[in-house]
């Protein structure tokens, strides 16, 4: 046990220096925040956000998380016959719909703020159409849920779940196209040349 704790505190291959180095790095980070003044505080705290051309990549995570978890909760609640769980699912749907509104608005703005070629433009058009479809379904389902409540049953409930599943399928396809544009074509990604190996710190994970 003592050997294990010593190994954790003083460092090992995967911890990058152990708990002491992690604590030192954390304290140095907070010291840097206070030393940078109010002007550089936000830049230091959120460096990625301050370097983004648009906030669409930041917002997309919210409707994805809310809407997928909504479907999971709703299906499980129906199978387990737990109306209270469906109430929770309703709020997840509402939050997902609101997130989708802001995400689509930011996405439409982003389409005009990033450079892209014809191939990416075609992907972007499909991504946009699917995103608007997801938003439309999320709003329709939210309004339906607000009107009928979480106690739907029978054929209406089955159709509601089918539309919810369709919405999540379209959401997955939308997210896939977004990832394709970023990770294959580098859309909206600023290229920073890497340093030669002799000038950069070499990092490895050993097991």
């Amino acid at each position: 046990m003592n050997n294990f704790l010593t190994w954790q505190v003083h460092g090992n291959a995967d911890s990058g220096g152990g708990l002491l180095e992690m604590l030192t790095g954390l304290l140095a980070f907070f010291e840097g925040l206070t030393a940078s003044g109010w002007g550089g505080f936000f830049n230091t705290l959120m460096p990625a956000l301050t370097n983004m051309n648009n906030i669409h990549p930041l917002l997309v995570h919210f409707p994805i998380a809310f809407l997928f978890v909504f479907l999971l909760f709703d299906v499980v609640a129906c199978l387990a016959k737990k109306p209270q769980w469906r109430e929770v699912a309703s709020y997840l749907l509402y939050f997902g719909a609101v997130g989708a509104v802001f995400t689509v608005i930011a996405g439409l703005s982003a389409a005009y703020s990033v450079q892209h070629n014809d191939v990416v433009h075609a992907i972007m058009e499909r991504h946009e159409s699917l995103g608007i479809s997801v938003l439309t379904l999320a709003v329709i389902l939210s309004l339906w849920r607000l009107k009928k409540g979480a106690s739907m049953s029978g054929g209406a409930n089955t159709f509601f779940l089918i539309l919810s599943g369709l919405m999540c399928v379209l959401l997955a396809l939308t997210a896939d196209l977004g990832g394709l544009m970023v990770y294959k074509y580098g859309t909206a990604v600023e290229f920073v040349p890497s340093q030669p190996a002799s000038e950069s710190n070499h990092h490895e994970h050993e097991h």
Side-chain angles (χ1 to χ4, degrees), residues 19 54 63 116 123 131 133 139 147 151 153 157 168 202 205:
L19 296 177
N54 60 81
H116 55 275
I123 299 172
S133 299
V139 171
K147 183 177 181 180
S151 59
S153 60
N157 185 58
C168 287
H202 185 62
H205 286 281

Side-chain angles (χ1 to χ4, degrees), residues 83-94:
Q84 304 91 337
W85 295 3
R86 296 205 79 182
E87 293 290 346
V88 175
S90 297
Y91 284 101
L92 292 171
L93 173 61
Y94 304 149

Side-chain angles (χ1 to χ4, degrees), residues 44-60:
T44 304
L45 185 64
M46 304 286 286
L49 183 60
T50 55
N51 285 279
M52 295 172 66
N53 293 324
N54 60 81
I55 61 172
H56 178 69
L58 176 67
L59 297 177
V60 294

Side-chain angles (χ1 to χ4, degrees), residues 181-199:
M181 286 188 289
V182 173
Y183 294 110
K184 182 173 182 178
Y185 296 100
T187 306
V189 174
E190 181 180 353
F191 175 72
V192 178
S194 59
Q195 294 179 333
S198 59
E199 299 178 12

Side-chain angles (χ1 to χ4, degrees), residues 3 9 12 29 53 55-56 59 73 76 91 95 99 104 106 108 120 127 132-133 138 164 204:
N3 290 337
V9 170
N12 59 77
F29 171 74
N53 293 324
I55 61 172
H56 178 69
L59 297 177
F73 261 65
V76 172
Y91 284 101
F95 289 140
V104 169
L108 293 174
V120 172
H127 178 74
I132 293 175
S133 299
S164 300
E204 287 184 353

